[in-house]
């Protein structure tokens, strides 16, 4: 309906004023009346949207919804903090529904998908009929306008082009990169704990580790953030990711044209961040182009296949359809998507293991038995993949701690699933954590951390394990991330014991694209001799 309704209301108001006052419709006092009409029409429309539409007009009004915590903001405000809890609660209460209602911003309609069938429809069968909502386009400044934001045929094309760089056969060649970055951070840990068990903040170490790993594996450059604690790139990621309510406001007003130019504190930070990311991408690009020129590999006549360096950047450069700016945006995308997610996964995994020292001990025993010579023995993907218990632990850690807890789509068409209709223009919430914790799909102990549940099980229904999403737009970096995660986890748990700094201490979480610990993650770390 957009702005048509206020205009209609404004006209009706003008007609009413004309009827009761006898003044000519928008004639003599046009300049005076027009703003008044529109103000009143806007106010009327606002009341209609917030108070009348959700209760009496919305086609979804009879659908069940979670309690509405705020008449104006609906469930939008606590989306990041408690959203997945709503989804879990709704899934438990309505196990046979495909979707339920979610109280959107300013009385708007939104749905939470619940069933695997609904997810299959939105993420695979009719995937390009469900693009990202306009609201999320505001993230382009941080994530880059690359694969994440491509839609339709353009997405299909980019994905096909980039997929070879993420095949398992290719990704496993990165084990030496993952291990060399891991060992650098282990050396830093060794120094911190050399006089005995020490409590310190661990998240930032993994954030820098994964940033350097993606820099080298995907682009062939050393971003040097492990050594340089004051790296501007790291500080900038920290700043925009720890934005709390400012990020909420940024999102809330993102639909206003020109909002990003309003000089709010966060808008300024985002603009600065964009400059830093853009400068990094340009630097990465330049270094790579120089290297490729010197080896004579770039722009060979058959493009991608002629390039010996089959890392992501070589593939991007081998595609002559893309301008330098497009390549830069893709680099920004992989820098962001490739490090925040895995860093979050490792941090939350260590917290979970700190609460389950028995699992840690069993995992450590398996790692030490397989690699008696210590961390230097870990050299190839096949060695790590052969650790049966470690594989179960990793899958379970990723199930209970998905770093991306939810995502959103918007319906660009009317679609029915078993007679329940999703109307065009509706915002859809995809609760990754909701499905990962579904008792219907995972059994009564779905909330428990239990690596043994994976014995003999892959994931009966792929749409039950959503950490990397599923379908056409599932995470392209999944294999990369899983292998990197395994390298990091087996090495660190092999050598150190992780415990909670204070038992059951709540850790504040921030949800800005990924879930990260707001004030860092303090853990008690001790070195266990013999490895
Ligand atoms: C534990 C680590 C990771 C997790 C949990 C994760 C999770 C996800 C999820 C849930 C999505 C879907 C987002 C959406 O559609 O809204 C996604 C997409 C994506 N991820 Fe990952 N990711 C991880 C690591 C990585 C890595 C290491 C890379 C690259 C090296 C990467 C690159 C991407 C890209 C480019 C997309 C967009 C794919 C598309 O739209 O076709 N991710 N990831």
């Amino acid at each position: 309906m957009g702005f048509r309704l206020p205009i209609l209301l404004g006209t009706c108001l003008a007609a009413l004023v004309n009827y009761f006052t006898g003044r000519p419709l928008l004639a003599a006092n046009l300049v005076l009346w027009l703003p008044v009409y529109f103000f009143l029409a806007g106010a009327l429309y606002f009341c209609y949207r917030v108070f009348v539409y959700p209760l009496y007009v919305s086609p979804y009004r009879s659908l069940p919804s979670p309690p509405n915590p705020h008449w104006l903001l609906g469930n939008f405000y606590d989306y990041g903090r408690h959203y997945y809890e709503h989804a879990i609660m709704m899934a438990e209460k309505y196990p046979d529904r495909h979707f339920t209602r979610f109280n959107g911003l300013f009385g708007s309609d939104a749905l939470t998908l619940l069933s695997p069938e609904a997810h299959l429809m939105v993420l695979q069968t009719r995937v390009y009929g469900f693009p990202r909502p306009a609201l999320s386009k505001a993230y382009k400044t941080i994530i880059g306008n690359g694969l994440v934001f491509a839609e339709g045929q353009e997405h299909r094309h980019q994905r096909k082009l980039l997929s070879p760089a993420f095949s398992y056969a290719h990704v496993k060649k990165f084990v030496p990169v993952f291990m060399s970055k891991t060992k650098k951070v282990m050396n830093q840990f060794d120094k911190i704990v050399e006089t005995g068990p020490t409590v310190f903040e661990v998240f930032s170490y993994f954030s820098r580790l994964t940033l350097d790993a993606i820099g080298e594996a995907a682009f062939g450059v050393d971003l040097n953030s492990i050594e340089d604690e004051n790296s501007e790139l790291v500080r900038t990621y920290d700043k925009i990711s720890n934005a709390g309510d400012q990020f909420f406001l940024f999102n809330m007003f993102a639909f206003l044209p020109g909002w990003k130019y309003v000089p709010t504190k966060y808008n300024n930070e985002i603009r600065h961040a964009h400059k830093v990311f853009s400068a990094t991408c340009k630097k990465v690009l330049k270094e790579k182009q120089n290297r490729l020129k010197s080896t004579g590999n770039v722009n060979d006549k058959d493009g991608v296949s002629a390039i010996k360096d089959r890392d992501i950047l070589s593939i991007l450069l081998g595609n002559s359809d893309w301008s330098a700016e497009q390549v830069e945006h893709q680099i920004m995308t992989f820098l962001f998507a490739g490090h925040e997610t895995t860093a979050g996964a490792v941090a939350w995994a260590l917290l979970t293991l700190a609460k389950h020292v028995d699992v840690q001990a069993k995992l450590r025993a398996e790692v030490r038995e397989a690699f008696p010579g210590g961390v230097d023995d870990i050299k190839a993907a096949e060695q790590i993949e052969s650790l049966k218990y470690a594989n179960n632990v990793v899958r379970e850690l990723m199930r209970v701690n998905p770093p991306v807890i939810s995502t959103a789509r918007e319906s660009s068409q009317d679609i029915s699933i078993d007679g329940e209709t999703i109307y065009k223009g509706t915002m859809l919430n995809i609760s990754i954590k909701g499905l990962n914790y579904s008792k219907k799909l995972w059994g009564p102990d779905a909330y428990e951390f239990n690596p043994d549940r994976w014995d003999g099980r892959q994931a009966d229904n792929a749409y039950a394990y959503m950490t990397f999403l599923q379908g056409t737009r599932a995470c392209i970096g999944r294999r990369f991330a899983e292998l990197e995660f395994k390298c990091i986890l087996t090495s660190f748990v092999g050598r150190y014991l992780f415990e909670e700094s204070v038992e059951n201490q709540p850790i504040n979480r921030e949800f800005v694209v990924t879930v990260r610990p707001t004030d860092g993650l303090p853990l008690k770390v001790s070195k266990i001799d013999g490895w």
Side-chain angles (χ1 to χ4, degrees), residues 202-224:
V202 300
F203 174 73
S204 58
Y205 289 88
F206 296 109
S207 183
R208 284 183 280 119
L209 189 167
T210 53
L211 188 55
D212 280 3
I214 188 81
E216 191 160 333
F219 313 124
V221 295
D222 186 357
L223 294 169
N224 199 33

Side-chain angles (χ1 to χ4, degrees), residues 132 155 159 214 334 337 341 403 407 409 467-468 473 475 480-481:
R132 281 181 201 285
H155 176 263
R159 184 97 190 189
I214 188 81
F334 286 108
T341 43
T407 182
R409 297 292 188 265
T467 302
F468 294 94
R473 305 207 65 144
C475 177
F480 183 106

Side-chain angles (χ1 to χ4, degrees), residues 69-337:
H70 198 281
W71 63 276
L72 189 61
L73 306 178
N75 298 118
F76 189 79
Y77 180 65
D78 53 9
Y79 186 85
R81 287 158 185 79
H82 308 294
Y83 165 62
Y84 62 87
E85 289 162 16
H86 297 157
I88 294 170
M89 179 185 88
M90 298 308 279
E92 243 174 61
K93 228 168 150 186
Y94 304 98
D96 299 322
R97 295 208 83 108
H98 291 304
F99 45 82
T100 49
R101 194 174 176 199
F102 176 81
N103 304 296
L105 203 58
F106 307 141
S108 62
D109 283 323
L111 297 176
T112 296
L113 300 186
L114 297 181
S115 69
E117 293 82 355
H119 286 87
L120 177 72
M121 169 79 85
V122 171
L123 297 172
Q124 193 159 328
T125 324
R126 306 288 283 269
V127 62
Y128 294 127
F130 294 96
R132 281 181 201 285
L135 211 67
S136 71
K137 307 258 156 60
Y139 296 121
K140 279 184 188 174
T141 346
I142 315 174
I143 307 183
N145 190 10
L147 182 63
V148 170
F149 289 104
E151 298 289 352
Q153 284 311 314
E154 179 56 26
H155 176 263
R156 198 191 298 273
H157 172 67
Q158 292 191 15
R159 184 97 190 189
K160 196 167 163 218
L161 207 70
L162 287 161
S163 289
F166 291 99
S167 68
Y168 187 64
H170 186 61
V171 157
K172 62 187 193 177
K173 293 181 198 150
F174 295 136
V175 169
V177 175
F178 300 149
M179 289 310 299
S180 91
K181 306 298 174 196
T182 298
K183 282 188 232 170
K184 273 189 185 177
V185 176
M186 288 175 86
N187 287 341
Q188 295 180 334
F189 270 42
D190 281 350
K191 287 197 186 112
I192 299 171
V193 301
E194 72 186 340
T195 52
T198 311
V199 172
F200 62 99
E201 195 293 303
V202 300
F203 174 73
S204 58
Y205 289 88
F206 296 109
S207 183
R208 284 183 280 119
L209 189 167
T210 53
L211 188 55
D212 280 3
I214 188 81
E216 191 160 333
F219 313 124
V221 295
D222 186 357
L223 294 169
N224 199 33
S225 46
I226 296 176
E227 276 90 5
D228 181 6
E229 279 185 30
N230 292 318
S231 141
E232 189 174 19
L233 189 58
V234 175
R235 275 191 288 122
T236 311
Y237 275 125
D238 273 352
K239 218 169 192 175
I240 53 163
S241 304
N242 271 343
D245 285 352
Q246 292 179 54
F247 184 72
F248 167 74
L249 286 175
F250 172 76
N251 252 332
M252 188 167 139
F253 292 113
F255 71 95
L256 291 175
W259 168 251
K260 62 179 180 185
Y261 300 108
V262 177
T264 64
K265 186 167 172 260
Y266 194 58
N267 279 356
N268 290 341
E269 274 168 13
I270 290 268
R271 250 196 309 281
H272 174 72
H274 185 73
K275 273 191 202 148
V276 174
F277 299 156
S278 183
T280 308
C281 297
K282 283 197 171 75
K283 193 171 148 240
V284 164
L285 190 56
K286 188 115 199 97
E287 276 184 29
K288 185 74 176 179
Q289 272 169 333
N290 289 343
R291 224 178 11 259
L292 288 175
K293 256 185 223 150
S294 68
T295 54
N297 271 332
V298 80
N299 292 335
D300 274 345
K301 66 175 178 358
D302 66 342
V304 176
S305 63
I307 289 174
K308 287 191 203 101
D309 267 357
R310 289 180 65 86
D311 62 30
I312 301 163
L313 192 45
S314 304
I315 289 182
L316 293 174
L317 289 172
N319 175 29
S320 51
D321 292 352
W322 281 340
S323 66
E325 196 191 343
Q326 282 171 309
V327 174
E328 197 184 302
H329 276 279
Q330 297 286 1
I331 300 175
M332 207 184 288
T333 296
F334 286 108
L335 266 186
F336 185 90

